[in-house]
Structure formats: C-alpha cells, structure tokens
C-alpha cells in the first residue's frame, strides 16, 4: 500500500510517498511543490493541482493523507493553507483516493510516541523509520513523510480491526 502525505501550503506544499511492505516502510518519493509569491493566487493553486495530480498518477497511492487545518495567530496564513488544502482534497476526490485527515499532534504521537514532540524529534524518527541516509529536506517534505507514516499506521490499524471484526 502506498500513502501520499501532504503538508499543505501555497508557497511550499510538501509531499511524501510512503509504501508499506509488510511492516517495512519505504519512502518512494518526497519533496515540495513551490509557487512564486508574485504569482496570482489562482495560478499558484493551479500549479499545485497540476503537479500534485501528476505525482498521484505517477506513484498511484491508495491513500492521501493531509494535515487538518490548525488555526494559529496568523489568519492570513491559515486562509492560504486552507486554499491549498482545498486543492489537495480536490485532487484526492478526482483520483478516487481514500482520504485521511490528521492533526499535527496525532502525527507527532504516531511517529514519535509523544504528541508534543519537537520538529527535530519528528524528523529524526522519520529518518530512522524510513531508513534514510539523511534527514529529508526541506522540513515541509519531512512533515509530509511524517503525515504519510501516521496515516499508514492508522489505515493498517483500521484494516486489522475490520479483519478481526469479520472473524467474530
């Protein structure tokens, strides 16, 4: 099973593909989609959609996982992240992908065992779990891989519960 994790943003949108090979997790691809701050918002969103759609068609994930929107103090940032997140949801729907939405604390808990882990702790664990030679760069790509890992764990857990429920 291949899971695509997305760390949404309009300037930098992180992506990471993780494959679960019988409990061994492999990073198939990761990186970022970047857009110019000088470009019109509709053009930035279109670029994210086109590149994301091409990645989905190339790597054919079964699940798309995206971080739930977190409202901080900067509402302008939250609005642009929400717009990018909408594009991600559209790409998931148009490609018939199962969608998992996950909070930042759920990602940290899943990957490190601690819901208040630091960014450095999350990156360290992503590097170890995926057996990478070096920490993924930039941080947005590392975050996307963490989201993909957390969603893969969640999907595996749901599958096991459904299977065990079928046995009773």
């Amino acid at each position: 099973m291949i899971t695509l994790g997305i760390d949404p943003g309009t300037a930098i949108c992180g992506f990471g593909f993780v494959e679960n090979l019988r409990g061994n997790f492999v990073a198939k691809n990761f990186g970022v989609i970047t857009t110019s701050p000088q470009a019109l918002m509709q053009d930035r969103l279109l670029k994210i959609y086109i590149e994301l759609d091409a990645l989905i068609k190339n790597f054919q994930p079964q699940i798309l996982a995206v971080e739930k929107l977190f409202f901080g103090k900067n509402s302008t940032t939250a609005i642009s992240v929400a717009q990018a997140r909408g594009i991600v949801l559209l790409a998931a729907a148009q490609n018939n992908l199962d969608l998992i939405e996950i909070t930042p604390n759920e990602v940290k808990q899943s990957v490190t065992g601690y819901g208040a882990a630091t960014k450095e702790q999350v990156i360290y664990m992503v590097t170890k779990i995926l057996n990478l030679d070096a920490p993924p760069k930039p941080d947005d790509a590392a975050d996307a891989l963490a989201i993909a890992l957390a969603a893969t764990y969640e999907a595996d857990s749901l599958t096991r519960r459904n299977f065990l429920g079928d046995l009773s």
Side-chain angles (χ1 to χ4, degrees):
M1 173 179 66
I2 298 174
T3 302
L4 167 58
I6 299 289
D7 181 24
T10 53
I12 302 173
C13 183
F15 67 87
F17 290 88
V18 170
E19 185 170 16
N20 182 358
L21 301 170
R22 297 184 183 151
N24 292 316
F25 301 97
V26 177
K28 301 295 284 180
N29 192 11
F30 58 90
V32 294
I33 300 168
T34 59
T35 67
S36 169
Q38 287 76 37
L40 296 172
M41 183 55 74
Q42 65 263 32
D43 295 334
R44 296 172 81 180
L45 295 171
L46 179 60
K47 180 180 185 204
I48 292 167
Y49 177 78
I50 290 169
E51 291 190 27
L52 182 57
D53 189 59
L55 286 164
I56 290 169
K57 286 179 174 29
N58 188 35
F59 289 94
Q60 300 184 348
Q62 289 75 45
I63 297 170
L64 188 147
V66 64
E67 204 166 60
K68 285 185 182 174
L69 192 56
F70 172 75
F71 286 98
K73 294 181 181 180
N74 188 342
S75 62
T76 304
T77 300
I79 291 169
S80 68
V81 169
Q83 291 172 321
R85 201 172 168 284
I87 293 300
V88 171
L89 298 178
L90 174 65
Q94 288 197 324
N95 286 281
N96 296 316
L97 300 177
D98 290 335
L99 179 70
I100 294 178
E101 298 178 272
I102 193 161
T103 68
N105 285 354
E106 289 169 335
V107 172
K108 292 173 184 179
Q109 177 68 39
S110 182
V111 174
T112 70
Y114 179 54
T118 66
K119 183 173 280 297
E120 292 76 20
Q121 290 169 320
V122 172
I123 292 171
Y124 174 81
M125 288 305 297
V126 166
T127 304
K128 293 299 176 197
I129 293 167
L130 295 173
N131 198 27
L132 299 172
D133 294 333
K137 297 283 183 193
D139 288 353
D140 307 87
D143 290 346
L145 286 170
I147 292 164
L149 280 169
T152 300
Y153 297 151
E154 184 175 321
D156 286 348
S157 176
L158 290 172
T159 300
R160 279 193 295 279
R161 281 196 299 254
N162 288 341
F163 174 74
L164 292 174
D166 289 346
L167 293 178
S168 30

